[in-house]
Amino acid sequence: MEIDRVDGRTANQLRPLACSRNILNRAHGSASWSQGDTKVLAAVYGPKVGTKKNENPEKACIEVIWKPKTGQIGKPEKEYEMIVKRTLQSICVLTINPNTTTSVIVQVVNDDGSLLPCAINAACAALVDAGIPLKHLAVAICCCLADSGCVLLDPTKLEEQKTKAFAYLVFPNLTLSILPEGSLKVEGEPVEQAIITSVTQGAMSVDDYLHCLERGRAASAKMSAFLRRSLPPQNPSDSSRAG
Amino acid sequence: MEPRLANTWRLTVNEKKFIETALQSDLRIDGRRPFEYRKISIKFGREDGSTEVQLGQTHVMGFVTAQLVQPYKDRPNEGTLSIFTEFSPMADPSFEPGRPGEAAVELGRVIDRGLRESRAVDMESLCIISGKSVWSVRVDLHILDNGGNLIDGANIAALAALLTFRRPECSLGGEDGQEVIVHPPEVREPLPLIIHHLPIAVTFAFFGNETSVVIDPTHYEEAVMGGRMTATLNANNDICAIQKAGGEGVLQSVIMQCLRIAGQRAHDITTKIKNAVESYNTERALRKIKRHSNSVSLDISGADVDVVKNQNRSFDQKGVSERSKLIPGKSIADQSMDIEGETKSSKQGQTNRIEGDAKSFIGGPSSWDPYAGGVNLDLLKASLASRGTSTPSRKEIYSRGENMSCEAKPVEPPKDNSLASSPIEAAKTPLGTNGEKTLKDAVKSKNKRKKKASSAGGS
């Protein structure tokens, strides 16, 4: 099957990734993540005292604020906030600092498709930069279904608008080299096979969805390698500024 | 959302005393002199009208957008300008999301007054049909990092964004000439806004003891200061606006001295903004020129190949991590699009192998790594053999251009020699070995860095 993407990539190619940490001075942790032309800036303010009214005070709470590039904050932004919040809650160790709130602020710099995965990646990198304890990292990717039934990875905005269905997928990212065999298996399946978040839009068949999952997981392996390479501190004398 | 007391950042008494005492000897805590500005850096984003300004530790982003609306009834011939400032919670732990606080409103008003009342932006040129259809320009300012003196930083961001913004060209059409047709940027070149002059805001901070005055306060100094004054003026020394909202009483002579100093600073800042905008415009123009000359060089001959090579080299001289590097690669990829349709057909057949090598491309300033996976050479040679000679020759030229810019790798020099020696309609085998690089280069998209990575990984 021939896939002709506008920018010349194959179905399995991602756009160039760029990640930089520690770009803001006041925030406790900050990171910017860009995939091609989509760029998102995330900042984290470390554990602050108190939780909101509806939250469980026995656990730490994560608060996400999504700032679009222009315009008012509406329902789509609230939905993104909720998705990012739940995703980050599953990777943070919430029992370490009970009754605290960690704020994650996501600022969209440019949107050229695959915005939510880019934001989740940026938020994860910002949490690492702030020194918030995490169980494991998360890598997010977008897969869309082309008309021919092929799965395209990391679509641009035009491709996302033309496609009939797409899925945002977030996978966990563990360091396999450290874990011994047989550990961290949940119900007989290794944790690496888990899916943290999946948001789909449009109708797709079950087979297509499973196909998306496979491709997404394969691509996430490369992305998580990139993430791990860019996260180590550039300046070894950097200390955590939380608190 | 109730403000959480523990989040407000407060300066300790010791720090306050230290700053005040130092100021008495004309020393500032970051080592500047009292009337010295911090370093200003202006960067532009991908689209027209998006900027990122850094004033020391203060980070501000500005975006300009425009849309067609109905004008106000009392001004049917003028467009509208509106400024929205967002104090993002990422800038300061005390900024809460939701309704803008007083500081945000004041900042928005000061910048608005500077631009609107002084008639810096020409509104009448934004009118398309009087009374019916005018352009409404919207400036969004996002404060990302509060390092002090947000007004000046945001003002520079707004000006830089307005100077680089391009609005689509539109013409009147329809039966009675009342319909507005907006031309997309590919059809007709978008137009810049007409800006008559640049109103620059310069902020002074006053401290109680001995009426010390400093310019461009940091957030530490802002926490200690007794009063603040912002003077908005342009390079012609016209005062567009002055804002001094309460605070310490200040002698008239001090105010006059401040205004004089503000005039000099405004001049410096205007030059900086103009230089930054000019270099952005040249880069933008170069981007357009580059695309056209590549299509010309498709007529294959030795001279044209050199043209492509030289252009690639000159682009490389521009600096390592600028986006401009990606653009020549992009324009090349656009033209080799139809070639790739064919290569993909053979590659798609091997889905398992491709899945294993799901390629991620590492570009950007923070990390660059050679491409980890390998590409199957046999497959590439087979795919090349199934195609004609004309298509590889196009890629050959591009790959030569790309490879000239690559760092010297041991495998490349012999290949380059063979490329130079073989004519365009060469036998398939030498093209096959060179083709391994050309195919990879064509398959990878815009980023030259990726092509470097692929050749490093594959060879």
Side-chain angles (χ1 to χ4, degrees), chain A residues 7-180:
Chain A
D7 51 9
R9 293 184 280 154
T10 63
N12 289 315
Q13 274 184 342
L14 303 172
R15 289 175 286 182
L17 300 171
C19 169
S20 31
R21 281 173 70 230
N22 207 4
I23 28 191
L24 300 177
N25 302 103
R26 300 297 300 277
H28 297 146
S30 55
S32 105
W33 184 280
S34 65
Q35 289 176 204
D37 279 340
T38 304
K39 185 166 172 197
V40 176
L41 184 60
V44 170
Y45 277 96
K48 298 188 269 197
V49 171
T51 51
K52 296 205 293 221
K53 273 203 289 206
N54 304 331
E55 303 281 348
N56 183 2
E58 289 178 24
K59 287 198 177 161
C61 156
I62 304 216
E63 173 194 22
V64 176
I65 300 164
W66 181 285
K67 291 273 177 201
K69 185 166 145 182
T70 54
Q72 300 273 5
I73 296 189
K75 296 277 161 56
E77 282 77 31
K78 292 281 177 211
E79 188 196 354
Y80 286 152
E81 282 179 10
M82 187 262 301
I83 296 172
V84 176
K85 172 181 160 157
R86 301 243 183 107
T87 307
L88 295 179
Q89 269 176 344
S90 67
I91 65 171
C92 290
V93 185
L94 294 176
T95 46
I96 284 190
N97 294 317
N99 203 20
T100 60
T101 306
T102 304
S103 304
V104 178
I105 302 109
V106 175
Q107 169 75 52
V108 177
V109 178
N110 198 19
D111 178 14
D112 189 29
S114 193
L115 181 64
L116 187 58
C118 198
I120 293 177
N121 290 328
C124 183
L127 283 172
V128 172
D129 189 46
I132 308 289
L134 301 174
K135 287 183 224 159
H136 49 77
L137 298 176
V139 193
I141 191 147
C142 176
C143 312
C144 75
L145 270 186
D147 294 328
S148 48
C150 239
V151 174
L152 301 177
L153 289 180
D154 200 15
T156 61
K157 200 162 183 73
L158 287 172
E159 289 174 347
E160 248 181 27
Q161 284 165 349
K162 283 194 289 191
T163 189
K164 58 178 179 179
F166 61 83
Y168 297 133
L169 301 164
V170 184
F171 300 103
N173 169 232
L174 299 170
T175 44
L176 284 176
S177 52
I178 294 178
L179 299 172

Side-chain angles (χ1 to χ4, degrees), chain B residues 38-51:
Chain B
R38 285 176 288 183
K39 178 169 177 294
I40 304 176
S41 99
I42 305 175
K43 280 187 245 168
F44 298 95
R46 194 91 180 99
E47 295 174 1
D48 292 328
S50 69
T51 63

Side-chain angles (χ1 to χ4, degrees), chain A residues 1-20 23-27 34 36-37 39 41-43 45 48-53 63 65 67-73 101 103 105-112 150 153 211 214-215 218-219 222-223 226 229-230 234, chain B residues 1-2 4 6-7 9 46-47 52 56-59 61 63 65 86-93 97-98 138 140 142 144-147 219 323 326 333-334 337 340-342 344-345 347-348 351 354-367 369 372-373 442-447 450:
Chain A
M1 275 183 282
E2 290 185 25
I3 304 296
D4 218 357
R5 294 175 89 166
V6 177
D7 51 9
R9 293 184 280 154
T10 63
N12 289 315
Q13 274 184 342
L14 303 172
R15 289 175 286 182
L17 300 171
C19 169
S20 31
I23 28 191
L24 300 177
N25 302 103
R26 300 297 300 277
S34 65
D37 279 340
K39 185 166 172 197
L41 184 60
Y45 277 96
K48 298 188 269 197
V49 171
T51 51
K52 296 205 293 221
K53 273 203 289 206
E63 173 194 22
I65 300 164
K67 291 273 177 201
K69 185 166 145 182
T70 54
Q72 300 273 5
I73 296 189
T101 306
S103 304
I105 302 109
V106 175
Q107 169 75 52
V108 177
V109 178
N110 198 19
D111 178 14
D112 189 29
C150 239
L153 289 180
H211 212 192
E214 277 172 48
R215 293 286 186 90
K222 293 284 174 185
M223 278 181 88
F226 167 75
R229 267 196 300 272
S230 34
Q234 289 93 3
Chain B
M1 204 177 296
E2 69 278 332
R4 289 182 275 268
N7 305 328
W9 163 80
R46 194 91 180 99
E47 295 174 1
E52 191 183 322
Q57 287 193 351
T58 302
H59 261 99
M61 260 196 326
F63 297 107
T65 48
E86 284 257 9
F87 271 37
S88 173
M90 69 165 70
D92 197 297
R138 179 192 164 119
D140 280 279
H142 297 281
L144 301 178
D145 210 358
N146 181 11
H219 63 283
R323 283 223 89 110
L326 302 179
D334 286 340
M337 226 167 53
E340 292 176 29
E342 296 171 75
K344 279 162 200 154
S345 60
K347 287 192 122 211
Q348 283 297 330
T351 31
I354 291 171
E355 257 185 2
D357 300 346
K359 300 165 183 74
S360 77
F361 294 93
I362 300 111
S366 61
S367 64
D369 242 19
V443 159
K444 303 297 185 278
S445 72
K446 344 171 189 179
N447 194 349
K450 287 187 287 171

